[in-house]
Amino acid sequence: MRRRRLLACAAALVVPLVSGCNVGPRYVRPTVRSPAAFKEGAPEAYNSLPPGTWQPARPQDAMLKGPWWRVFNEPELDALEARLEVDNQTIAQSFQSFMAARAQVNEARAGYYPTLTVNPSVNHSVGGAVGAGAAISGGGATGAPVTTGGVTNFYALPLEASWAPDLWDRVRNSVRQYQYAAQVSAADLENTRLTEQAALAVYYFELRGQDSLQDLYDRTVAADKEALELTRAQSETGVGTEEAVAQAEVTLENAEATGIGVATNRALYEHAMAMLIGQPASSFAMPVRVLETPVPPIPIGVPSRLLQRRPDVAAAERTMAQANALIGVEMAAYYPSLTLTGSGGLESSALGTLFSLPALFWSLGASASETIFDGGLRDATVAQYKALYKADVAAYRQTVLVAIQQVEDYVATLRILSRQIARQEVATRSARRYLDLATDRFKTGLDPYLNVITAQTTLLGDQQTLVTLRVSEMTAAVQLVQALGGGWDVSELP
């Protein structure tokens, strides 16, 4: 097979000489098995949900485009994401890595062209006698004088060129390798950008959740203060007891202590957001606002579209192409290399005659080399890169599987959380009614204040759970968008 390839390429040298033969394997994207639709997004999975609960957007082939965070209709988040795009240092670092990868493509392309060097020189010597008829070495020199104890000048302007024709596509495969590597870097950049954007959105909704908890505890503390005043008034009039007053005081103090602790998590989320937008945490602050954003319907499309929508999948696929090109680079070592050289220039002992025709000299040459024994080095190297390519194929398929799993995970999470929130809202309303009844019975002297405390604890726990579930729902929506690739598409690869 190698002899047949060698003969074919030798024939190709005739017209023209620079035509190359690609001795490496042709790259074909490996197939991956993907289901026709996402199981968790099937319409029948949402038939039993109450009205108003979350479900994926229709039609199934819709997809997010561009600034994906706008689906949440949060102007504050939009402004923060715009700042992140400009000032996030992790994205800036990844961008410079991509620029370096682009530069390597141009470095590889330089192998297509000859190398040309120039080495001008001037020699001024003072010495003894030079025999009559002697000439300066370098065939092209003119006007070489005969001197005795005099001064001799010599001027030279030589040019040298060398070129190795890319007969076996070694250079071309190297260029392809670096092109694919640059595309991997571009996909990594988009994946980094998507990760940072999603992290900012998650921190934003987590912070709004802390604001909702703070509002909940503020209202709880206000209600507990009213209850304490009521128990004190009843105790002073002889209707209530000191025990009820003490119980109301403990309930108020516990609510105040827990409410103070909410500020810790809020501060941490605020600091994390500052870091993501490239601003010192000391000079960044977010206004307080409770979480009221509903989860928007998100188009999930079909699994096969993930191959075009996720930058990490695109990076894994381009990594395979890069590994395939490397096999071609290494297989070129089996074949001989040809180098064409040429030199020429001007030489003269007088500056006035340096640019005359007699001062011109030139030469042309060619050389070929072939390794006839290397102890199996080439075989081992090619086998190594073939194994690396197969490992990249497995990594690509694994990346696709993980992508499908993540989408299924977050679609299921949103559906289940939606149902759970609906039931938790009912439980919270029931807890509110329970507290109202217990308070009324305490005011009329039918029940002790302990029943009110029990009802207050139940309501506060249900309200906390509801806030936590809503935050989880919003963060799951962000993670679903991230799992879908945001608004990116593989056609954006350079």
Side-chain angles (χ1 to χ4, degrees):
M1 179 61 71
R2 291 177 187 166
R3 291 193 185 96
R4 285 196 294 269
R5 287 178 177 172
L6 184 58
L7 291 174
C9 291
L13 292 178
V14 178
V15 184
L17 178 63
V18 297
S19 296
C21 285
N22 189 356
V23 297
R26 181 182 178 184
Y27 175 69
V28 178
R29 181 182 300 181
T31 58
V32 292
R33 293 181 297 173
S34 61
F38 289 108
K39 177 185 67 175
E40 299 294 345
E44 54 270 18
Y46 298 86
N47 293 336
S48 60
L49 294 183
T53 52
W54 182 88
Q55 57 182 303
R58 300 294 189 268
Q60 283 289 333
D61 59 351
M63 62 182 297
L64 296 161
K65 295 180 181 179
W68 54 266
W69 52 87
R70 292 181 182 173
V71 301
F72 295 101
N73 195 25
E74 281 279 346
E76 283 181 306
L77 179 60
D78 296 345
L80 290 169
E81 293 287 0
R83 295 176 64 181
L84 176 138
E85 181 67 24
V86 175
D87 296 324
N88 182 276
Q89 297 307 301
T90 303
I91 295 176
Q93 181 181 2
S94 185
F95 175 77
Q96 294 304 325
S97 296
F98 167 60
M99 296 301 292
R102 280 184 51 176
Q104 286 183 308
V105 178
N106 292 330
E107 291 178 16
R109 284 195 178 121
Y112 285 131
Y113 306 103
T115 300
L116 181 64
T117 59
V118 60
N119 185 25
S121 63
V122 177
N123 291 322
H124 179 78
S125 61
V126 178
V130 178
I136 297 174
S137 63
T142 60
V146 178
T147 61
T148 303
V151 177
T152 301
N153 295 320
F154 181 67
Y155 304 92
L157 187 62
L159 296 173
E160 294 183 358
S162 64
W163 180 47
D166 191 22
L167 302 180
W168 321 112
D169 273 4
R170 182 188 60 81
V171 176
R172 183 170 300 177
N173 280 319
S174 294
V175 171
R176 288 172 180 158
Q177 170 208 343
Y178 286 111
Q179 285 176 331
Y180 299 147
Q183 288 181 316
V184 171
S185 182
D188 288 341
L189 169 61
E190 294 304 322
N191 197 53
T192 298
R193 180 179 283 113
L194 177 59
T195 300
E196 298 296 287
Q197 290 169 345
L200 179 60
V202 167
Y203 291 151
Y204 175 82
F205 290 120
E206 291 279 8
L207 182 140
R208 290 291 170 241
Q210 296 302 308
D211 288 344
S212 296
L213 284 176
Q214 188 66 67
D215 177 69
L216 170 61
Y217 276 103
D218 289 345
R219 289 185 284 110
T220 300
V221 167
D224 289 346
K225 286 181 178 179
E226 292 180 2
L228 177 59
E229 293 300 324
L230 175 61
T231 58
R232 282 175 176 169
Q234 288 182 333
S235 176
E236 291 172 358
T237 58
V239 177
T241 64
E242 284 297 324
E243 181 183 12
V245 174
Q247 291 172 335
E249 288 175 343
V250 170
T251 303
L252 173 60
E253 291 164 358
N254 287 335
E256 287 177 334
T258 307
I260 293 172
V262 172
T264 300
N265 286 336
R266 189 189 195 279
L268 296 180
Y269 289 128
E270 190 176 63
H271 300 164
M273 292 170 65
M275 181 271 297
L276 288 175
I277 64 173
Q279 183 171 338
S282 304
S283 58
F284 177 77
M286 285 290 294
V288 176
R289 185 167 62 81
V290 298
L291 178 62
E292 298 175 334
T293 307
V295 177
I298 298 171
I300 62 175
V302 294
S304 60
R305 294 299 299 272
L306 285 181
L307 304 184
Q308 286 78 41
R309 290 162 58 176
R310 287 200 30 151
D312 59 338
V313 173
E317 187 275 327
R318 291 289 82 188
T319 300
M320 286 189 302
Q322 179 188 3
N324 187 79
L326 275 170
I327 297 174
V329 172
E330 297 303 325
M331 290 185 69
Y334 283 115
Y335 302 92
S337 61
L338 175 66
T339 302
L340 304 178
T341 59
S343 63
L346 300 169
E347 291 181 346
S348 176
S349 59
L351 185 61
T353 60
L354 179 64
F355 295 98
S356 63
L357 186 61
L360 177 67
F361 73 94
W362 60 271
S363 66
L364 296 175
S367 63
S369 64
E370 165 70 350
T371 301
I372 59 176
F373 179 75
D374 61 4
L377 175 63
R378 288 172 294 183
D379 291 341
T381 304
V382 171
Q384 172 192 354
Y385 283 103
K386 285 182 177 179
L388 292 175
Y389 169 76
K390 292 178 180 178
D392 289 334
V393 171
Y396 168 69
R397 289 174 173 159
Q398 180 67 17
T399 303
V400 174
L401 291 174
V402 170
I404 295 174
Q405 176 203 346
Q406 289 177 343
V407 174
E408 294 280 16
D409 287 348
Y410 293 122
V411 172
T413 299
L414 281 172
R415 187 186 72 250
I416 295 169
L417 280 173
S418 184
R419 296 178 60 187
Q420 190 176 2
I421 288 172
R423 300 308 304 168
Q424 189 62 41
E425 288 174 343
V426 174
T428 302
R429 289 194 294 269
S430 298
R432 168 63 65 183
R433 188 163 58 89
Y434 172 34
L435 176 59
D436 292 341
L437 292 173
T439 302
D440 291 340
R441 292 178 65 84
F442 167 71
K443 289 179 179 179
T444 58
L446 296 176
D447 289 334
Y449 189 71
L450 183 60
N451 289 12
V452 177
I453 295 176
T454 302
Q456 288 174 327
T457 304
T458 301
L459 177 60
L460 180 59
D462 286 343
Q463 290 173 324
Q464 284 180 301
T465 302
L466 186 58
V467 171
T468 302
L469 289 174
R470 284 175 174 164
V471 172
S472 298
E473 187 182 36
M474 294 305 301
T475 57
V478 173
Q479 290 164 330
L480 173 59
V481 173
Q482 182 181 4
L484 292 169
W488 188 79
D489 187 85
V490 71
S491 61
E492 298 178 36
L493 276 183

